[in-house]
Amino acid sequence: MSAVVGAFGALVAVAVLGYVVGLFGVLRKDDELVLSRLAFFVATPALLFTTVARADLRAIFSVVLVTNLVSLFVVQALFLLIAAVIWRRTRSEATIGVLASSYVNAGNLGVPVAAYVLGDGALVAPIVLFQVLIMAPVAFAVLDGDRQGSSRRVSLRTIVTRPFRNPLTVASLLGLLVSVVGVRLPELVMRPIDLVAAAAVPVALVAYGLSLSAGTKDSIIVRRDVVLAVALKTFVQPLAAYTIARWALDLHGTALLAPTLLAALPTAQNVYVYAVHYRASRTLARSAVLLSTLLSIPVMILIAGLLT
């Protein structure tokens, strides 16, 4: 337990550093975008590539992925039942709500948690691939088909090829290719990639802390859709993952901690980007991202404390 709590302590300390430098104006609000882009487009893809390329494929596609997929479908079904069936939300509103309640921040926050707390950054790779290759395109197809969700039609080719323009997806797939083929890349090639990869965790965490220092009061509107999405994402999804892992799969120790912890990750910022693009439920997406982000760290620390 001390090792896990210590790992979380390191993550929180770096995030607090980002908050402090933002609070005192050392870094500005605009710098958060720069750091986030650096982490998303450069450092995190490098980290995913190196970890997946060196990982055991059996460890990557393990019960962690299965457990997270089942818990994801549970919260999505609950949101659709309440929001779409009972509250009569439109297809676009329900789709953004589904994403807000289940689409986890696997890139910016998931990789640090997997690498430093669980000791294996590759555990988050299949979650990234599922979200970008399957979950997002399905949501885009629904949103594109709803005239209220988009002012213009998007071709099938754009929907299909969009995931492959995501650097996290490309890096994960390249890492998988290297791992499957069994090629050992020379140190001359891997060393600069490892050097860039080492920046992924601290840069992402500083950006995370910096985003919180900008102030979120005016950006959060608490309505029943927001409460439902945040409650499902923050509490129900990790609880569902734990229930499945513990009682259906009889997992213990790290094997039980990993799916529960990764299911507790907050809503990804991508969801707000999608909502803005499709002009659907922007307030819901923004509030869910911010609230789940604020709640996720204490919830994950509690989970780590209880399961170790």
Side-chain angles (χ1 to χ4, degrees):
M1 177 176 177
S2 60
V4 173
V5 174
F8 257 117
L11 294 181
V12 172
V14 178
V16 169
L17 174 63
Y19 179 83
V20 171
V21 297
L23 199 62
F24 286 94
V26 177
L27 294 176
R28 299 162 299 177
K29 182 180 179 180
D30 294 341
D31 295 328
E32 186 264 328
L33 176 61
V34 175
L35 291 175
S36 295
R37 289 177 65 84
L38 175 63
F40 183 82
F41 287 99
V42 182
T44 301
L47 180 59
L48 280 174
F49 173 77
T50 57
T51 52
V52 173
R54 292 165 175 159
D56 183 352
L57 289 180
R58 291 172 298 179
I60 297 178
F61 295 100
S62 63
V63 291
V64 172
L65 176 61
V66 175
T67 305
N68 274 273
L69 291 185
V70 175
S71 65
L72 178 147
F73 292 139
V74 168
V75 296
Q76 288 184 342
L78 288 173
F79 188 91
L80 285 175
L81 175 63
I82 297 172
V85 177
I86 299 177
W87 294 344
R88 302 293 183 179
R89 296 294 184 256
T90 65
R91 285 198 306 172
S92 293
E93 292 170 338
T95 301
I96 295 298
V98 163
L99 292 177
S101 63
S102 60
Y103 198 111
V104 303
N105 190 340
N108 288 346
L109 197 57
V111 172
V113 169
Y116 274 75
V117 179
L118 301 174
D120 186 2
L123 287 173
V124 80
I127 298 175
V128 170
L129 292 174
F130 174 80
Q131 291 188 158
V132 176
L133 292 177
I134 299 176
M135 191 171 167
V138 170
F140 297 154
V142 175
L143 291 167
D144 285 326
D146 190 343
R147 292 182 179 179
Q148 294 179 350
S150 179
S151 61
R152 61 188 180 87
R153 306 294 292 182
V154 179
S155 67
L156 178 62
R157 179 181 177 183
T158 300
I159 297 174
V160 172
T161 59
R162 193 194 313 247
F164 300 98
R165 297 195 292 272
N166 185 309
L168 302 183
T169 306
V170 174
S172 298
L173 290 175
L174 289 175
L176 280 174
L177 178 63
V178 171
S179 182
V180 169
V181 175
V183 176
R184 183 178 177 84
L185 297 178
E187 285 299 313
L188 187 63
V189 174
M190 293 301 293
R191 280 184 179 178
I193 300 177
D194 287 332
L195 188 61
V196 174
V201 174
V203 169
L205 291 173
V206 169
Y208 174 81
L210 185 59
S211 68
L212 297 180
S213 71
T216 59
K217 183 178 179 181
D218 296 334
S219 300
I220 297 175
I221 297 178
V222 180
R223 300 189 307 197
R224 59 182 183 177
D225 298 75
V226 175
V227 172
L228 176 61
V230 173
L232 289 173
K233 177 74 239 31
T234 308
F235 305 111
V236 177
Q237 190 169 359
L239 180 61
Y242 171 82
T243 302
I244 297 160
R246 176 66 183 87
W247 304 112
L249 302 177
D250 194 30
L251 301 180
H252 302 275
T254 303
L256 176 61
L257 174 63
T260 308
L261 203 57
L262 294 178
L265 289 168
T267 303
Q269 294 176 344
N270 295 18
V271 175
Y272 179 64
V273 175
Y274 303 154
V276 171
H277 178 75
Y278 287 101
R279 302 177 184 178
S281 300
R282 285 172 284 188
T283 300
L284 165 62
R286 181 178 62 243
S287 300
V289 169
L290 293 172
L291 283 174
S292 65
T293 299
L294 290 171
L295 293 172
S296 63
I297 292 296
V299 168
M300 288 191 288
I301 291 176
L302 178 62
I303 289 172
L306 292 174
L307 298 185
T308 53

